[in-house]
Amino acid sequence: MRPATARLGYWLIAPAILLLAAVALIPIAAAFFLSLQQRLPIFQIARFVGLENYRFLAIDPRFWNSLGNTLYFTLVAVALELALGLAVALLLDRAFPGRGSMRAIVLLPWAIPTVVSSRMWEWLYNVEFGLFNFILTGTGLARGPVNWLGDPFWAIHAAILIDVWKSAPFAAILLTAGLQTIPRELYLAARVDGAGGWGVFRHIILPSLTPMILVVLLFRTLDAFRVFDAIYVLTGGGPGNTTETLSIYTYKVLFQTLQFGYGSALSVAMFFCVAAISLVYLALLGRERRLSS
């Protein structure tokens, strides 16, 4: 490309870059500035405290508990969504009657608003009238009803199940699109060479699908790390704080106790976590692109 053409391209995209930078950077800068203050509007307190909010954050056990819950939720949910999404994608990649309709049906959970689906699952988890307890007690698999949302162990996994149910179709559709780009000749060549189902998956599908898998992991990891509505509707972060994620803790500090300074410090910490995750995935995608080229 000629230098004059390159300069013209930079000038043409400069307004869009400046606009995006302003939209993204101004709120971040404002949140960081607020995190350096102690702001309690109900007591009319507003003073600069420097890094005091971050010093308190480092020793705040509730912050570390919410971060641990967030990481556990993210790791388990994303792993299950990727495995289930890949299995559904491999099924949808095969030719069978009604495949088009099946693709639309698979997307239904993803299309339902999270608040609505969480309310629906809340009824399924109900101790007295829920479907799960009806099946378990009716078939004799459980001696009595299980308190799905009142038990710390079951509550976090109940929320994970909702996220897997809702988001695995999203992963499946993206992976199906990735499978469609693999040349069919590669499958035929592998069969001619005597490769079985596992051999085709290991040597043809998995290497070809790796970039799309990384894209799915990037989207789903960021989304799961910021999970709020599903858990907030289902348990509100309880019982106790056992299902409280970083987003829910930040929301409570900001809008229930109105500690704007400390709440902003939590937001900044969450921003750096999300940025770190994004950079790792982008580095992996860049490495994968260099290897494939």
Side-chain angles (χ1 to χ4, degrees):
M1 180 184 294
R2 293 184 303 174
T5 306
R7 281 197 297 274
L8 176 62
Y10 291 139
W11 279 111
L12 290 175
I13 64 173
I17 292 177
L18 289 175
L19 180 62
L20 288 174
V23 171
L25 294 180
I26 289 177
I28 295 172
F32 182 72
F33 178 70
L34 199 57
S35 71
L36 303 177
Q37 304 176 49
Q38 185 183 24
R39 281 285 188 97
L40 288 167
I42 56 175
F43 298 114
Q44 296 184 340
I45 295 175
R47 58 178 179 172
F48 184 80
V49 295
L51 298 176
E52 182 62 24
N53 285 324
Y54 292 98
R55 188 195 67 78
F56 180 75
L57 182 147
I59 59 173
D60 182 5
R62 196 169 168 186
F63 165 73
W64 293 108
N65 175 67
S66 62
L67 181 60
N69 290 337
T70 305
L71 291 174
Y72 182 77
F73 179 92
T74 302
L75 288 173
V76 177
V78 173
L80 292 175
E81 287 162 17
L82 180 63
L84 185 59
L86 183 57
V88 174
L90 291 172
L91 178 64
L92 293 179
D93 191 49
R94 294 175 177 272
F96 59 88
R99 184 173 66 170
S101 302
M102 185 61 71
R103 288 179 178 175
I105 292 172
V106 165
L107 266 180
L108 280 179
W110 184 68
I112 298 174
T114 306
V115 174
V116 176
S117 58
S118 299
R119 283 295 181 200
M120 180 184 73
W121 279 85
E122 187 182 11
W123 275 103
L124 295 177
Y125 288 133
N126 188 279
V127 177
E128 297 181 7
F129 312 109
L131 178 65
F132 293 142
N133 279 333
F134 175 78
I135 294 175
L136 288 176
T137 55
T139 56
L141 294 174
R143 295 180 179 178
V146 179
N147 190 359
W148 300 103
L149 304 180
D151 183 274
F153 175 80
W154 290 117
I156 187 71
H157 293 96
I160 288 172
L161 181 59
I162 294 178
D163 197 68
V164 172
W165 173 82
K166 180 174 176 56
S167 301
F170 173 75
I173 293 301
L174 287 184
L175 294 174
T176 302
L179 287 172
Q180 297 290 310
T181 63
I182 301 176
R184 299 294 154 177
E185 293 78 7
L186 291 179
Y187 293 114
L188 295 175
R191 296 294 185 191
V192 170
D193 291 341
W198 172 246
V200 171
F201 177 79
R202 182 182 175 186
H203 298 292
I204 303 295
I205 295 177
L206 200 55
S208 305
L209 209 56
T210 299
M212 187 57 76
I213 289 176
L214 288 174
V215 171
V216 171
L217 286 175
L218 173 62
F219 278 113
R220 286 307 311 141
T221 303
L222 294 180
D223 209 25
F225 193 87
R226 296 171 298 162
V227 63
F228 175 82
D229 40 9
I231 297 180
Y232 192 78
V233 170
L234 202 64
T235 66
N241 297 322
T242 52
T243 60
E244 189 176 72
T245 60
L246 203 50
S247 296
I248 293 176
Y249 182 38
T250 304
Y251 169 79
K252 289 178 178 176
V253 171
L254 276 171
F255 298 107
Q256 291 185 356
T257 64
L258 299 180
Q259 301 178 67
F260 290 165
Y262 187 54
S264 298
L266 290 169
S267 301
V268 171
M270 190 169 176
F271 164 76
F272 280 111
C273 290
V274 171
I277 294 171
S278 302
L279 289 175
V280 169
Y281 277 121
L282 290 177
L284 292 174
L285 279 169
R287 178 176 174 272
E288 186 62 30
R289 190 176 295 113
R290 286 193 298 273
L291 289 175
S292 60
S293 61

